[in-house]
Amino acid sequence: MRRAGCFRRGKPLSKSKSVFDEIEHFYAAVWRRRLKFPVDTEWLVEELRFAAAAFRGLDITPLPIHGDGNVSNILISDAGEVRLIDWDRATTADPLEDIGSFLNEAFEQEPEACNAFVRNTGKFDEAAFNRARIYGIAAICDGG
């Protein structure tokens, strides 16, 4: 996670899309093609819009992020070195998006996710942890 910290300290990327922006993009694409949505899609999109609106009211400093926290994008060498691959979704956004999608992918139970969150951030902040978890849910919806 330290190298991710180096990446985040770099210049903002030219792309700046949150996971919520991606969901809106895909949702609009389905509407344009007049495809059929799964049951409860409207409800889910409205809930995610509610979360996005709430997050817009927060003081969040966007930083460069990987943008695709699937555990399949993490390679670990025999020596224990960690490498991230698949950078096509890299963007400038809330850094909690990355950890949120990872927590959702890697941990089935909240206590384990909470421990990983603390190891990554250095402390437990309930509001930040909950925000990360919501990003993780949103990442499922956009295929991330």
Side-chain angles (χ1 to χ4, degrees):
M1 299 271 178
R2 291 188 179 164
R3 289 189 187 258
C6 292
F7 175 67
R8 289 186 184 142
R9 286 191 296 271
K11 292 181 182 180
L13 303 176
S14 59
K15 179 179 168 187
S16 181
K17 280 190 167 184
S18 74
V19 66
F20 300 115
D21 296 328
E22 292 287 341
I23 289 168
E24 291 294 345
H25 168 78
F26 294 126
Y27 185 71
V30 171
W31 268 111
R32 278 192 307 275
R33 289 171 181 80
R34 301 176 199 260
L35 301 174
K36 188 173 181 176
F37 285 101
V39 176
D40 292 332
T41 298
E42 295 292 329
W43 169 83
L44 181 58
V45 169
E46 287 304 315
E47 292 298 311
L48 292 169
R49 286 175 176 159
F50 177 79
F55 290 1
R56 278 192 295 274
L58 300 175
D59 184 24
I60 297 170
T61 303
L63 299 172
I65 66 169
H66 180 264
D68 191 355
N70 282 324
V71 293
S72 63
N73 290 333
I74 301 170
L75 301 178
I76 303 173
S77 73
D78 291 339
E81 296 173 320
V82 177
R83 297 286 189 257
L84 293 176
I85 61 169
D86 194 10
W87 287 86
D88 64 310
R89 297 182 83 172
T91 187
T92 299
D94 185 345
L96 290 179
E97 282 194 33
D98 274 348
I99 190 164
S101 59
F102 174 76
L103 294 177
N104 192 61
E105 284 261 328
F107 303 100
E108 292 184 16
Q109 303 294 320
E110 187 170 320
E112 291 83 3
C114 184
N115 288 338
F117 179 85
V118 170
R119 284 193 309 271
N120 182 266
T121 63
K123 64 179 179 172
F124 183 70
D125 176 330
E126 186 174 8
F129 177 70
N130 289 335
R131 194 166 87 229
R133 297 288 294 221
I134 291 169
Y135 282 131
I137 292 166
I140 293 170
C141 298
D142 88 333

